[in-house]
Every structure is written in C-alpha cells, then in structure tokens.
Amino acid sequence: HSACGPLRIDALFDFWRGASYGVGSAQKMFSLHALMPEQWCSDGVAYPKLSWLCTKLLPKLSRWALESKTSEFKSTLSLIPVEKYGILYQQLKEKYKELVKVWPEVTDPEKFVFEDVAIASYLLVLWGEERAEKGTTTKQSFVDLGCGNGLLVHILNNEGHPGKGMDIRKRNIWDMYGPGTHLEETAITPSNDFLFPTTDWLIGNHSDELTPWIPVIAARSSYSCRYFVIPCCFFDFCGKYQRRQCKKSQYKEYIDFVTDVSTMCGFYTEEDCLRIPSTKRVCIIGKGRRYREAEEAVVEKQRSDYIKRREALFTTSGASMNVNQSGHYRLNHSDNGQKISTPVNNWVNGFQPREKTETVRNCAALPRDFVDAVVLRVAKALLSLTERNTESSSCGDTWNTGGSVLISEVVNLLDQSSLQALKKECGGLQTLLKNNHQVFRVEGGRVFIRDWRTHTLAQSSRVTSKRKPPPSGALKTRLCWFHTHHPHGCPLLREHCAFAHGETDLKNPQR
C-alpha cells in the first residue's frame, strides 16, 4: 500500500514472480507499508486484511525468496482467471459455510466443505470461460464418478448445472441436500454399462480406482465429452499402480501416468494446481480431441491396445486368464487360488471396485478392552522407569511423569496375539498410541506420558479442542485416565481437567 493507492494482491504476486530475489552477497529485504491503515478497505480477495499481509504473506514471501527448489508442477490456477476465481470462491464460501455446523460425517467439516467449495469455484470459472469461447449460454452437464459426500454435486446443481453424482456407498449427508441434488448409490465398473453419451463433463474428485478410467470413459462416451480429474490414491486399470521411475516423486510419476492415459485416449491434456487444503491438488483436464471424429475407430484401437498392455503387467505375473462357459473372464491367481469373475462386456479383467462397506483400519474399531489393556501396559512400563526418582524427590513434586522409550521397544511389551491384531490396522501400534493422546505424547519416534501441567500452546494445536482446559460448566464425556490409573492421580485439579474425575463428574458419557 503506497501513496499512489492500494497494491492489489494479485499484482503483488505477479511482481514477486517476476522479481529475482535470491541469496547473494548482499542481504535483501522486502517490506510492506500501509501509510493510512484506517483507509484500507478489505474485500478479502483482491484487497486482503492488513493482519493477513503481516502474519501470512510476508513470512511466505520470505520463504519463497530463499527456496531454490523448483516445483515439479505448474503454478496454481494457471488455466483460469485468478481474480474471477477469488471473487467466486468468497461468494460460495459465504453461501455454503453453514454446512460446517451441521456436517454429519466423521470427516473434518471445514476441510471438506471449503475444499469442495474451492473445486466447485474452479470448475464454474473453467466452464464459464468455455461457454464464452464457444459463444453459448447453456450450462454444461456433468457426472461426478465416485462422488463421496456429494457436496461438489450439490454445489454444481445449485449453481444451475444439470448433473448427478454416483458412488458405491450412500453417505449420511446425502439426505440433507434435498431433491435438487441428484445422487445415485451404485457400483461403477468400467464397461459399456457406464457410458454417458449426452454428458458434457465427467468429474473424478479423488476417485481412487476409477481415476485412470475416467479419461477412457469420457473418450468412449462421445466425441464431445470432456473430463476433469484430481488424482489421489495410486491406481492402475486393474490394481495398485507400480512405480517404475525412481528419479521422480511417486506423486509426479502417477500424474504423468494419468496424463499418458489421457493422451493415448486422444485428448488435448492440460494440468493445473488447485488452491485447496490437500497435498494432492493437481488436476488433469481433457477439453478437446487431438483427432477428427472420423478417425474414432483408429484411436479406439490404440486405446484398447494400451489398456491390454497395462493389464498384461498384472496378468503375466503369477496369474493366467481364460473364459468360462458362461461367457465371463476368469483370472486365476496362482499364489492363493483366488478367482475373480468379470462380465464379458467389461473393458478389463481384474478391476475391483471398492467395498460397499468401508473398512475402518485406524485402530478406532478395535475392542475397547483390548485398547485399554495395551494403554495400561505401556503406561505402567513408562512410569516404572522413574518410580524411584519420584519416591526420593526432595523438590516437592512427586507426580511421576514417567520416562520415554522408542516405539520399536514398546513392541517388546506386547504378546504375539496383540501384535498380530495391530498389524492389521493402518499405522499399527503408533496409531493406537497417538489415538490415546490423553495419556501419551508421541514425538520423534518415542512415546512419553503426557503431562497436562506443561501442555503448551504448540501442543494444543496438535490435539483436538476437546483436550483443552474446559470452560466452567462444560460437560465431561470421558473419564480421566490419570485419575483412575496413575499412582499419583491426575496432576490437575478437577475443575481444570477436561475429563471427569470419577463417575459423579461424568455427564452424557460416550459409548
């Protein structure tokens, strides 16, 4: 902000990208000055709040100036007008922010709501630019394959785009959207049964095993069908994607694979980075074809041959394929004898959609008695390391804070049956210990007893708000582990502890 007027934030970024700020012989400094803060009018988009410029922008500019690593991907929002996106995002964020308060899923509402608002904003601007290029006002139709919570479909429907979402499993929030949001519960299999000849765009928003198939489905649906996909988990056509280039990151290699699929399907393929709170934020877009419609048969032969070559990577390693009398392909795995039957009109053998019932493997579904026993055993071992020190302490603080051990050493405390149960869970023992952060603190590969008296602000940001000291009169829904099990009880007074000190202090307990 200068005497000549306010500095637009998008102009500032353009300036920064064009400037050469490296580490040289002379120290360089970058600063922003607001000559008249009282006259600064923030709209949250082009003119942000001064506090944001100070606490967010300047530290980032400083970090970017010193970084020498170049990104593997394109700059953020390189394919659409950034200003249009910013204004629309703020409008949609304000319009749909109430969903955060009523979100019925177990996922983080702020992350998922505002991430889908950002993706919807990108698509709406992209589609608006497409309509302007073609000189039409008809809003594009779409199908979201693997739509999950359906929020992206809900927003696009609300903003006037005809379309629907499809997923193998209905979510709780679907019933909240109303009749104007079109969602279908169905298992999607790459086949002739899932073609969309009248649809303008196919969407794959973190669509997992469907990701590499979406360019294929779009190409085979119609010559005019386009697609937009955000690759996340790494899947090939009929199994997990296998790395082949160690010189690239796994994510970059997979993005290149999906781009290769798109090119083989005949699309002009573009790549962009979204502005979303996710590490997997690269999108791949197929807007037009590289061939004439009359050449469809030739390109289709290339597609089919490409898919067969990819399939052969799976079927030639320990598996053989034949066709049974009922007209179904059968894949016979030599290692365990498992047989997978695939209808003849499917495009590949061995494709498996995800299970209808989602398997919880983050230790949350383990029996409560089992978890309690593991927690008690580990905690007693940590406390035993410093029992003598607290008994002989002369400084007046006799509360045993326990010692610390490597997580690899904690394994020795458990029997084989317990270890086998934990191996089936994502993250295993470490995840169980982190889940029980009322009792433990896991840092640097070591586990400690958590001392709530020295719970810093930095630590508070890493645990849920439920673990912060409760306000007066707050309901306590879980028993305090330390009050019940620690030899010296809880180090906090009852009124300062976020957990109940005994059954009489417990209100509205969790199951």
Side-chain angles (χ1 to χ4, degrees), residues 411-422:
V411 172
N412 300 325
L413 302 173
L414 307 179
D415 55 45
Q416 283 301 314
S417 61
S418 298
L419 292 175
Q420 287 299 321
L422 288 170

Side-chain angles (χ1 to χ4, degrees), residues 28 115 127 140 277 296 357 446 473 494 497:
K28 296 178 175 62
E115 180 170 306
W127 292 347
Q140 294 88 334
E296 184 65 47
T357 302
R446 303 186 71 89
R494 182 188 65 81
C497 183

Side-chain angles (χ1 to χ4, degrees), residues 19 28 251 339:
K28 296 178 175 62
Y251 184 42
K339 296 179 180 180

Side-chain angles (χ1 to χ4, degrees), residues 5 97 147 172 234 242 278 304 306 310 325 368 375 389 490:
K97 66 180 181 181
C147 63
N172 296 327
F234 308 135
Q242 303 298 321
S278 173
S304 298
Y306 180 83
R310 301 297 305 187
Q325 293 180 351
R368 189 68 247 175
V375 169
N389 295 339
C490 180

Side-chain angles (χ1 to χ4, degrees), residues 45 77-92 116-134 136 139-140 152 155-156 159 161 201 228 272 274-275 285 287:
V45 184
L77 307 181
S78 62
L79 299 180
I80 61 172
V82 177
E83 184 173 358
K84 286 185 180 180
Y85 169 85
I87 294 172
L88 180 60
Y89 173 74
Q90 291 297 327
Q91 293 171 348
L92 295 183
D116 280 356
V117 166
I119 297 171
S121 300
Y122 187 95
L123 284 171
L124 291 171
V125 173
L126 181 72
W127 292 347
E129 295 298 298
E130 183 183 65
R131 292 195 301 274
E133 291 173 8
K134 295 183 177 181
T136 180
K139 292 194 173 182
Q140 294 88 334
L152 180 59
I155 297 174
L156 295 177
E159 300 306 313
H161 285 271
W201 283 80
F228 168 92
D272 204 355
L274 303 178
R275 192 174 290 173
I285 303 171
K287 291 180 66 175

Side-chain angles (χ1 to χ4, degrees), residues 56 69 98 288 296 301 328 409 454 495:
K56 299 293 184 181
K69 180 181 177 181
E98 294 302 315
E296 184 65 47
K301 177 65 166 57
H328 287 69
E409 296 173 350
T454 58
E495 57 269 23

